Amino acid sequence: MALYPVIMCGGAGTRLWPASRPSRPKQFIPLAGNRSLFQETVVRVAPLAGDEGRLIVVGGVRHRDWIVDQLSALEIEAQVLLEPEARDSAAAMAAAAAWAARHDPEAIIAFVASDHHIPDHEAFRQAVTAAAAGAAEGRIVTLGVMPSEPSQAYGYIKPSGRGLSAVDSFVEKPGRTQAQTYIDAGYLWNSGNFIVSAAALIDELAAHAPAVIDAARSALPEEGSGAVQTLGSAFAASPKISIDYAVMEKTARASVLEVDFAWSDLGAWDSIAASGEGDTGQHIFEDADGCLVRAPDGILVAALGVRNLAIVVEEDAVLVCDLSQSQGVKKVVERIKATSPRHLDFTTAPPEGLAEGAIRFADWMRLKALPVWSTLGQATNGGFAEVLSLEGRALTLPRRARVQARQIFVYANAGMNGWQGPWRGIVERGLQRLYSDYVRPDGLCRTTLTPEGAPLDETPYLYDQAFVLFALSAAKSAGIDDPTLEDRAIRLRDALLAAGPATGGLIEAGEQPYQSNAHMHLLEACLGWEAAGGDAGWTALADRVVDLALTRFIDPNGGFLREYFGADWAPAAGEDGRLVEPGHQFEWAWLLARVGRARDRADLTRAAQRLYAAGRRGVSERPMIAIDALNDDGSVRSHRARLWPQTEWLKASLILAETATDGERQRLMDDAATALRALWLYLTPDGLWRDKRLPRGGFIDEPAPASSLYHIAAAFGQLAETGRVEGLRGMSDIGLG
């Protein structure tokens, strides 16, 4: 019997204003100790999942960052289901039950509130385990707490007996006199925790609230969509109803387990004061007794001659109330709605949108990056620097052919996007340097030069040849006056084909001869020559690479692309064959989407969409950035995150959005905005960048590699293209002019 603890993260906690607001409800605030109530709940219930179950969190999309951050701080993993809008507890529980049942038809679920204070974790877990035995028999078990006082803050349950028994009735929050009567009659506090099998809850919802479970099932994301999933738009079709009204007051399966441990929902300031752990911040009391004080850092609260007060200070509001009147704070909030609604929630700036980010990106490219890398980053002889220090100094390093070729592409691309800088001369000098120092007599290209420009490594890597072809195509498309461009490209292409097998993949030099990456850039070069008006040989070679991708590189079941292969183009043995790079999933998705559109091939579009989904599984949750590497089972191989995968995520989301419709199109455009914000984490105001972000934040201290500018420029080119194609407001004329 596998247990699935489900933490319900809904509710606004208006009685705890001004600390609790819609954007930061009470469960995410430390109210009784150093950890938030949500974190305390996670620590309390996570062990219940054991090895076979799974911790699930259901919350609202606006609280995504709170949930992800606080789980990360605890280093505890969970499946997070985000509601696109709140539809009350029945819909939230239905979604969790549907998710659990899909993974385990015999799942037992423990639904727990995220904001309850239960100091004795072990007693709680023992109670849930005991209730699970009843749930396995088809009961819906709620935990009924032995009352310690006649509280008016809780609902009550009348049990039919002691221990685990059927429920005779549920009653609403009573007045104080009635509460005492209930206690005398053996009633229990309704804790709001439910233990039930997924199958039983689904059956009861189908019988009593079918629209709720239908909406929840329809809203479930696809399997394998990641640890944080947003429920689909169908969720909004669910009736807005609590589980009490939807099921518990109608079912014949309702049972209650009597428990006797300290419990509070910390629903008002008096209960927080009673916990003895609610004070925070600096305060001075003089003849003041029984007061609760909460203040942020930097604010001192002084109280003189007062008794039994709650003094709660936030940056924009202060509450002072008699603790005995704490339940009335909700009335104050109602008055605030009418008189000062801006104090109902914290003011936060929205994340930068795609159009605003695109304009800022264009300014950065035009005014910073392109000028810096064409002056400090290019010598008078046309050679491009390998790196620039973050102080703008070119370092003395061996010079790679791929960097020379990439920078030629960058400035040819800049010219085509309207940059008014001296791009033509930059490209022409770069080409002359390429011809004179890198190209061998046989038309192939050596891989590296010494810092002084002498040949260092004569090896003609396929990867480098692909970028030379790509650079030549970009120069041709940009209108560079060089009649040798196409002849040079054809000679190089023919040399590659002559040296390789007649069909299938080409062989790379070095330790990994059978790989997908070099073919990816070869495909990009072929598409570049198709756009430049090249001969039919480019289309034939592009189709050959595409066929190899569909039949060998992309896993037929998982839809993801591998990096390394054996001589038969089956996945390489060992860890090499298991490597999955999210950035390359996006990059191939972008290329296949382009080919699918050009060839009118729906199969390539579908393959691109699957690759995009595979890459998306490699996007971390906080911050949302594409990490370096996964394994073929979806597990993380490297949490480090380089710059270039962010650009490929941006490109892929944009091109797929162009042909998507309705909600999918919006999701992809939102992804594009997120990817652009991820890219901004790396870019510096001076036109440089950091390359490698460490798992816990911060960057490796190293110079900016010139090779990244190719990725950045290609991402900007796609952004400009999508802006034109989509006619996006503020983006339809994005360029570098």
Side-chain angles (χ1 to χ4, degrees):
M1 178 180 67
L3 257 173
Y4 289 73
V6 175
I7 300 176
M8 307 284 285
C9 270
T14 54
R15 287 176 294 169
L16 293 178
W17 183 89
S20 178
R21 314 276 183 102
S23 62
R24 188 192 68 184
K26 70 170 185 174
Q27 58 264 33
F28 302 117
I29 308 171
L31 291 174
N34 294 325
R35 290 191 290 232
S36 73
L37 297 177
F38 169 68
Q39 288 177 307
E40 284 293 329
T41 304
V42 170
V43 171
R44 183 168 64 249
V45 306
L48 291 168
D51 295 330
E52 298 180 357
R54 173 79 163 159
L55 175 64
I56 302 172
V57 178
V58 183
V61 289
R62 71 181 307 188
H63 301 140
R64 177 189 183 283
D65 290 349
W66 285 110
I67 294 169
V68 171
D69 283 353
Q70 294 197 359
L71 283 170
S72 177
L74 295 172
E75 297 184 345
I76 293 178
E77 295 182 355
Q79 177 62 53
V80 179
L81 301 177
L82 298 176
E83 303 168 287
E85 62 177 80
R87 305 306 296 166
D88 217 321
S89 58
M93 292 171 69
W99 189 93
R102 186 167 71 180
H103 290 77
D104 180 359
E106 298 182 357
I108 303 294
I109 304 176
F111 291 100
V112 301
S114 61
D115 57 358
H116 289 181
H117 179 53
I118 304 174
D120 192 340
H121 291 189
E122 184 56 36
F124 178 82
R125 288 193 287 265
Q126 289 177 1
V128 170
T129 301
E137 298 173 355
R139 299 187 186 191
I140 303 176
V141 183
T142 185
L143 301 184
V145 180
M146 289 283 290
S148 59
E149 59 177 321
S151 174
Q152 305 171 65
Y154 308 134
Y156 286 74
I157 299 172
K158 181 182 180 183
S160 61
R162 302 298 299 273
L164 177 62
S165 64
V167 172
D168 276 353
S169 62
F170 294 93
V171 295
E172 298 288 347
K173 298 174 183 178
R176 186 171 184 83
T177 301
Q178 186 63 54
Q180 185 61 59
T181 301
Y182 287 154
I183 291 175
D184 294 342
Y187 286 48
L188 305 170
W189 282 341
N190 186 352
S191 72
N193 299 289
F194 297 94
I195 299 88
V196 58
S197 72
L201 182 59
I202 289 170
D203 287 347
E204 292 300 287
L205 285 165
H208 303 296
V212 173
I213 189 60
D214 289 347
R217 280 172 163 158
S218 299
L220 279 188
E222 293 183 7
E223 289 195 70
S225 299
V228 180
Q229 301 176 359
T230 300
L231 298 168
S233 57
F235 189 77
S238 173
K240 195 171 186 179
I241 186 173
S242 73
I243 195 66
D244 293 336
Y245 292 134
V247 172
M248 297 309 294
E249 293 184 355
K250 301 172 183 176
T251 183
R253 304 191 192 201
S255 298
V256 59
L257 176 66
E258 178 184 314
V259 297
D260 188 12
F261 47 68
W263 169 85
S264 171
D265 71 352
L266 295 184
W269 291 116
D270 58 346
S271 60
I272 292 170
S275 75
E277 300 180 80
D279 288 322
T280 61
Q282 188 177 8
H283 59 273
I284 296 174
F285 283 174
E286 185 67 34
D287 189 25
D289 186 51
C291 294
L292 169 74
V293 174
R294 296 181 63 86
D297 291 341
I299 293 180
L300 170 67
V301 173
L304 172 64
V306 294
R307 303 287 183 273
N308 301 317
L309 293 182
I311 305 170
V312 184
V313 181
E314 292 291 335
E315 292 183 357
D316 64 335
V318 177
L319 170 73
V320 179
C321 79
D322 190 305
L323 284 170
S324 66
Q325 300 296 313
S326 294
Q327 296 293 330
V329 171
K330 197 169 184 178
K331 298 177 183 177
V332 174
V333 173
E334 291 299 318
R335 293 186 62 182
I336 292 171
K337 287 181 182 179
T339 60
S340 186
R342 68 186 180 89
H343 288 102
L344 289 172
D345 204 354
F346 298 109
T347 302
T348 55
E352 184 176 60
L354 184 59
E356 296 85 356
I359 293 169
R360 186 158 69 103
F361 194 10
D363 291 343
W364 182 85
M365 288 286 290
R366 181 179 62 254
L367 300 173
K368 301 295 183 180
L370 292 171
V372 163
W373 287 93
S374 61
T375 53
L376 303 177
Q378 187 183 35
T380 56
N381 66 4
F384 289 101
E386 280 284 321
V387 300
L388 289 177
S389 73
L390 295 182
E391 296 75 36
R393 297 183 179 89
L395 305 185
T396 302
L397 294 171
R399 298 175 183 270
R400 295 177 295 170
R402 64 190 61 178
V403 168
Q404 189 72 15
R406 285 184 176 200
Q407 298 299 70
I408 291 169
F409 158 78
V410 165
Y411 284 94
N413 181 266
M416 288 186 283
N417 275 297
W419 188 51
Q420 299 299 302
W423 64 271
R424 190 176 298 273
I426 296 166
V427 172
E428 290 172 345
R429 290 192 299 273
L431 285 169
Q432 291 306 312
R433 176 72 166 178
L434 180 70
Y435 300 159
S436 63
D437 291 353
Y438 289 94
V439 177
R440 305 186 326 185
D442 60 0
L444 295 172
C445 186
R446 56 180 60 94
T447 184
T448 54
L449 307 176
T450 67
E452 295 73 29
L456 181 62
D457 186 343
E458 291 286 339
T459 308
Y461 282 92
L462 177 61
Y463 189 98
D464 294 328
Q465 314 314 303
F467 273 108
V468 171
L469 292 172
F470 189 45
L472 297 175
S473 74
K476 176 75 171 178
S477 292
I480 294 297
D481 185 15
D482 180 353
T484 71
L485 286 168
E486 190 163 3
D487 289 342
R488 289 177 183 274
I490 291 174
R491 184 183 181 199
L492 196 161
R493 180 192 71 194
D494 291 347
L496 289 177
L497 293 175
T503 60
L506 300 183
I507 311 304
E508 178 60 291
E511 296 180 357
Q512 295 287 358
Y514 309 100
Q515 57 170 267
S516 58
N517 192 20
H519 288 85
M520 178 176 69
H521 295 298
L522 183 60
L523 174 58
E524 187 174 27
C526 290
L527 297 180
W529 272 107
E530 283 189 31
D535 66 22
W538 300 109
T539 298
L541 182 53
D543 290 344
R544 176 174 167 178
V545 174
V546 167
D547 181 68
L548 191 66
L550 294 182
T551 60
R552 298 296 184 178
F553 297 161
I554 299 173
D555 183 90
N557 297 317
F560 58 85
L561 180 133
R562 300 179 193 269
E563 297 294 322
Y564 301 118
F565 303 86
D568 58 354
W569 292 102
E575 291 302 301
D576 285 347
R578 299 192 60 209
L579 175 62
V580 176
E581 295 193 19
H584 285 158
Q585 312 303 305
F586 292 133
E587 202 163 0
W588 275 99
W590 177 69
L591 286 167
L592 293 184
R594 289 175 60 191
V595 181
R597 182 183 302 176
R599 312 282 199 270
D600 193 24
R601 287 183 56 179
D603 62 324
L604 296 183
T605 301
R606 289 192 295 271
Q609 291 166 341
R610 293 188 77 191
L611 286 171
Y612 184 85
R616 195 62 176 76
R617 288 193 283 274
V619 174
S620 67
E621 296 300 334
R622 191 68 171 164
M624 293 191 74
I625 52 177
I627 62 174
D628 281 0
L630 304 174
N631 293 307
D632 57 1
D633 62 359
S635 60
V636 175
R637 180 180 288 209
S638 171
H639 286 277
R640 195 186 67 173
R642 294 189 64 188
L643 179 152
W644 70 266
Q646 320 315 317
T647 67
E648 303 311 318
W649 180 20
L650 177 59
K651 288 161 55 182
S653 59
L654 287 167
I655 199 169
L656 290 172
E658 291 179 11
T659 54
T661 58
D662 301 330
E664 179 63 14
R665 178 186 178 279
Q666 187 58 55
R667 183 182 71 83
L668 288 164
M669 294 302 284
D670 290 344
D671 266 11
T674 305
L676 184 52
R677 291 194 294 270
L679 179 57
W680 279 116
L681 296 175
Y682 295 80
L683 307 182
T684 74
D686 303 317
L688 301 171
W689 44 82
R690 298 176 178 86
D691 182 46
K692 302 180 184 71
R693 192 177 194 276
L694 298 170
R696 294 194 175 276
F699 293 87
I700 293 177
D701 186 9
E702 60 184 347
S707 56
S708 297
L709 190 54
Y710 148 77
H711 292 284
I712 295 168
F716 179 81
Q718 182 60 59
L719 191 59
E721 175 65 19
T722 300
R724 289 189 291 268
V725 169
E726 296 288 291
L728 299 175
R729 189 171 66 178
M731 285 180 56
S732 58
D733 59 351
I734 285 291
L736 296 173

